[in-house]
Amino acid sequence: MREGSLEAPTRHPVAWKTEAFWDREQLNAELERVYDICHGCRRCVSLCDAFPTLFDLVDESDTMEVDGVDKADYNQVVDQCYLCDLCYMTKCPYVPPHEWNVDFPHLMLRAKAVKFREEGARLRDRVLTSTDRVFAAGTIPLVDVTVNALNGSSGFRKALDATLGIHHEAPLPPFHRDTLRRRARGLHRDIDPAPVGETRGRVALYATCYGNANTPEVGEDFIKVFQHNGIAIDVVPREKCCGMPKLELGDLDAVDKLKEANIPVLAALVDQGYDLTAPIPSCVLMYKQELPLMYPDDPLVQKVKGAFYDPFEYLWLRHKGGALTTDFPNAIGQVAYQVACHQRVQNIGLKTRDVLALVPGTEITAHERCSGHDGTYAVKSETRAKSLKIARPLVRKIDQQEPDHVTSDCPMAGTQLAHLSEKVDRATHPMTLLRMAYGL
């Protein structure tokens, strides 16, 4: 029995349409098997709170082994996993093709799905993951002003904490009735697409719920930067949530409905000559990895997967082909760059760092540590403190650096870090930094 594997990790399809996937006894048997392997290894203890929770359960049991842990407590571990995938990507020596076949994140996904089907979810979690409805309501004129004002009220936030369990100190994103979709109408330019390498030079921007309603200015930066580099860019004409929030909740039926709404639209754009990108790494990963593993035999899903790019991956491919403008009139300075977990999982390398490093007078320090945010984990009352514990080592590194800018491809991660930092007031998206460097 070899200790680990030097072969490239591989991912098996998520067999969520089989009866065995939903069988509680079979699930518990697989949880016990994998938990026992993790207990004997313990390399992932520093990543998140799922592993300390597991090891505490084992160490406090009568046998001090996994067989002494009550199966009713297994979900305590599951509840701490927010599917960042870093254990799979960076720590575990037993991932497939190793014969032990450990895929901890997707086992947690299965456990979340079974729990959701058996028990459902509390109102707060259903609301937080229903991004299409929440964000549509939040961008209604006057409603946006009211919601933003209430979110800034300490009294309202404490009441929200007491009633719904949304922590009163967690920063909540502002809503904009002037959404990216509205702003993009006046930014369109007719550009003849010029293929470079595997890129076709015509991009459809999947706005995402967050990018459309909470950070529309970042979408404007995307459009300006891509157009400046001779790339034709349009916003996807209609879209629903990518499904990542519902995936993390374990509501796979909701993921299926969102897939049925989005994939035909995106696949049609690919047929029209578009490449695809999005401003949120989790949304890119949903189309690059999670949906393809849930629907391995769906040709439209696979077509969308092949056309989806991380935005800086796309710009770097254009640069390799000599098609990226590198005449930057403005320096950026010292940048603390948090590498988003769901970007690392894409296995594309640090392309954001590489593109920003092309700007003269710029020094990028990459920090490959999780921010602990996960979209909802840092907002929930019961996990806020654990989220901060995960983020603190990275925040200390940033404060020691005292950078001119803190940035992350995940705007929620950036907000969390800036909120906790004593040296930086706000985070700036990498595409915004690039637009600043271009002087656009």
Side-chain angles (χ1 to χ4, degrees):
M1 179 70 68
R2 67 190 190 280
E3 207 280 334
S5 176
L6 296 179
E7 299 172 86
T10 186
R11 259 348 220 299
H12 298 311
V14 178
W16 70 286
K17 293 189 176 182
T18 65
E19 291 184 9
F21 182 90
W22 301 99
D23 186 277
R24 168 57 74 177
E25 289 189 7
Q26 293 188 49
L27 169 61
N28 281 342
E30 180 64 4
L31 286 169
E32 183 173 7
R33 183 187 77 87
V34 171
Y35 284 176
D36 192 50
I37 294 171
C38 294
H39 160 53
C41 177
R42 301 202 173 201
R43 296 185 186 183
C44 291
V45 67
S46 64
L47 288 181
C48 68
D49 209 61
F51 297 101
T53 299
L54 170 60
F55 304 147
D56 285 346
L57 287 171
V58 172
D59 295 343
E60 294 166 5
S61 71
D62 292 338
T63 65
M64 298 187 71
E65 298 289 346
V66 172
D67 63 8
V69 177
D70 189 336
K71 289 180 172 55
D73 292 331
Y74 281 4
N75 274 333
Q76 291 185 33
V77 180
V78 177
D79 291 342
Q80 300 307 318
C81 175
Y82 42 83
L83 304 181
C84 74
D85 255 13
L86 288 194
C87 59
Y88 185 96
M89 294 300 302
T90 68
K91 293 287 186 180
C92 184
Y94 306 120
V95 298
H98 191 278
E99 58 198 295
W100 286 357
N101 191 32
V102 175
D103 186 339
F104 191 88
H106 279 173
L107 178 58
M108 296 298 100
L109 170 62
R110 179 183 174 189
K112 288 173 184 288
V114 172
K115 180 183 178 183
F116 182 86
R117 182 164 288 190
E118 291 176 346
E119 304 175 11
R122 60 185 291 186
L123 175 62
R124 177 207 56 195
D125 297 335
R126 288 180 178 272
V127 170
L128 286 177
T129 58
S130 297
T131 53
D132 287 322
R133 292 181 181 179
V134 172
F135 289 14
T139 55
I140 296 173
L142 297 182
V143 173
D144 63 326
V145 176
T146 302
V147 170
N148 292 338
L150 288 173
N151 285 341
S153 165
S154 61
F156 175 78
R157 290 299 305 276
K158 288 179 180 178
L160 197 63
D161 195 338
T163 55
L164 281 183
I166 296 176
H167 199 279
H168 63 279
E169 293 181 349
L172 297 179
F175 286 94
H176 297 266
R177 62 179 170 179
D178 188 17
T179 63
L180 173 59
R181 291 190 170 281
R182 294 191 179 100
R183 299 183 188 199
R185 294 169 190 161
L187 297 175
H188 175 79
R189 284 172 47 193
D190 289 326
I191 297 175
D192 292 330
V196 174
E198 66 183 72
T199 68
R200 296 190 281 184
R202 183 192 299 272
V203 170
L205 178 64
Y206 181 81
T208 76
C209 314
Y210 198 93
N212 185 51
N214 299 128
T215 56
E217 68 282 357
V218 173
E220 290 184 281
D221 297 335
F222 269 71
I223 293 170
K224 290 289 187 179
V225 168
F226 274 61
Q227 288 175 343
H228 185 68
N229 283 283
I231 302 168
I233 182 169
D234 296 290
V235 176
V236 172
R238 65 182 186 278
E239 65 182 39
K240 295 288 186 181
C241 173
C242 70
M244 182 63 82
K246 292 297 185 185
L247 185 84
E248 294 176 350
L249 185 62
D251 187 357
L252 300 190
D253 291 330
V255 174
D256 185 62
K257 291 178 182 178
L258 293 168
K259 170 260 184 187
E260 290 297 323
N262 286 320
I263 289 295
V265 175
L266 297 176
L269 288 168
V270 177
D271 290 338
Q272 294 167 29
Y274 285 91
D275 297 321
L276 305 170
T277 194
I280 308 291
S282 296
C283 302
V284 176
L285 185 69
M286 195 68 184
Y287 290 105
K288 273 189 170 187
Q289 173 177 287
E290 302 302 342
L291 288 178
L293 288 174
M294 289 180 66
Y295 303 90
D297 300 320
D298 188 320
L300 294 186
V301 171
Q302 301 303 321
K303 178 184 292 186
V304 170
K305 171 188 175 181
F308 230 108
Y309 295 86
D310 170 87
F312 281 89
E313 173 192 18
Y314 198 83
L315 293 177
W316 186 257
L317 288 170
R318 303 286 291 185
H319 173 64
K320 286 175 62 178
L324 189 75
T325 299
T326 55
D327 182 13
F328 298 99
N330 301 320
I332 300 176
Q334 290 271 350
V335 178
Y337 168 51
Q338 188 265 345
V339 187
C341 302
H342 280 175
Q343 190 181 53
R344 293 177 67 183
V345 176
Q346 296 174 40
N347 278 326
I348 58 173
L350 303 185
K351 295 299 181 286
T352 301
R353 176 202 62 187
D354 295 343
V355 171
L356 293 179
L358 297 173
V359 181
T362 301
E363 184 176 340
I364 314 294
T365 301
H367 298 282
E368 296 184 274
R369 290 194 69 109
C370 183
S371 72
H373 193 284
D374 170 57
T376 61
Y377 192 80
V379 172
K380 298 176 185 177
S381 298
E382 69 271 23
T383 51
R384 175 70 180 166
K386 295 178 180 181
S387 167
L388 301 188
K389 180 180 177 181
I390 294 167
R392 288 293 181 194
L394 175 53
V395 174
R396 284 196 294 269
K397 290 286 187 182
I398 291 171
D399 285 345
Q400 289 169 6
Q401 183 182 345
E402 297 191 43
D404 298 306
H405 303 282
V406 168
T407 192
S408 174
D409 294 276
C410 175
M412 290 164 280
T415 297
Q416 164 116 318
L417 297 173
H419 179 72
L420 298 176
S421 172
E422 296 180 356
K423 302 293 185 180
V424 179
D425 294 329
R426 60 187 294 270
T428 307
H429 194 277
M431 198 63 72
T432 304
L433 294 178
L434 195 58
R435 180 178 178 178
M436 292 164 53
Y438 279 129
L440 300 175

